[in-house]
Amino acid sequence: MLRTGRRNQNCGNRYYNDAFDLMDDMFNNFWGTGLESTSNMRTDVIEEDNAYKLITDLPGFDKSDIGISLKEDILTITASHKDADNKEAEPKYIRRERVKSSFERSFRVENVTADDISAAYENGVLTVTIPKKQPVEPETKKIAIA
């Protein structure tokens, strides 16, 4: 297979196809690619006829690790791994790649209350359903002429 571009010595067999790949890799190495970044809390926003759905991948979390709150039209989803209560039972790691960390992501929503929102968590996928509110048409009042 013929590859073009420059090989990145730090990332194994990765080849750069252009300068932007190289810059992306440099920034990722500088800023880190920790799990706390929003890029790792990937969320799809789907519009349906009567609701919006937020579908977020949160593998490795228990339902009790996830929180959803609504404050001043900001819907916030948080997920945080709980530390083990018994530190004595912690194994001696030779290599640890699965990091226990926290995520947080916020979305602006309008004209909803917390009671309107529903959520389900199954197989590492959180689905939050936000119903659409029908716009309220201002009522036209006729004024009698005296």
Side-chain angles (χ1 to χ4, degrees):
M1 172 185 277
L2 179 65
R3 294 182 188 248
T4 60
R6 188 172 149 197
R7 184 172 180 215
N8 178 359
Q9 299 298 325
N10 295 330
C11 294
N13 292 327
R14 167 129 188 220
Y15 284 81
Y16 295 118
N17 291 323
D18 60 22
F20 293 109
D21 286 342
L22 175 63
M23 290 184 68
D24 285 343
D25 199 43
M26 285 183 349
F27 282 119
N28 283 340
N29 287 337
F30 180 77
W31 295 110
T33 55
L35 295 177
E36 63 279 349
S37 69
T38 58
S39 65
N40 288 316
M41 191 173 182
R42 301 188 193 301
T43 303
D44 295 335
V45 180
I46 299 171
E47 181 177 8
E48 296 181 339
D49 291 337
N50 57 356
Y52 295 100
K53 285 196 175 189
L54 304 175
I55 301 174
T56 303
D57 289 338
L58 294 172
F61 288 94
D62 291 329
K63 192 186 296 188
S64 62
D65 297 337
I66 301 169
I68 304 169
S69 63
L70 178 67
K71 182 178 181 182
E72 297 179 4
D73 293 340
I74 302 293
L75 178 77
T76 302
I77 301 171
T78 58
S80 179
H81 287 108
K82 307 272 190 287
D83 287 331
D85 293 334
N86 187 357
K87 295 291 183 187
E88 302 280 330
E90 185 81 16
K92 182 178 178 182
Y93 289 98
I94 296 170
R95 180 178 179 100
R96 187 171 188 176
E97 294 181 356
R98 298 180 309 133
V99 180
K100 293 184 178 185
S101 62
S102 299
F103 299 101
E104 182 173 299
R105 187 95 186 257
S106 295
F107 302 89
R108 176 169 294 284
V109 296
E110 295 179 352
N111 200 21
V112 295
T113 62
D115 295 334
D116 298 333
I117 299 169
S118 63
Y121 183 67
E122 186 175 341
N123 295 327
V125 178
L126 175 69
T127 303
V128 179
T129 304
I130 306 165
K132 288 183 180 179
K133 295 268 184 154
Q134 296 299 325
V136 178
E137 300 267 342
E139 184 179 323
T140 304
K141 283 189 159 187
K142 296 204 177 216
I143 301 175
I145 302 173

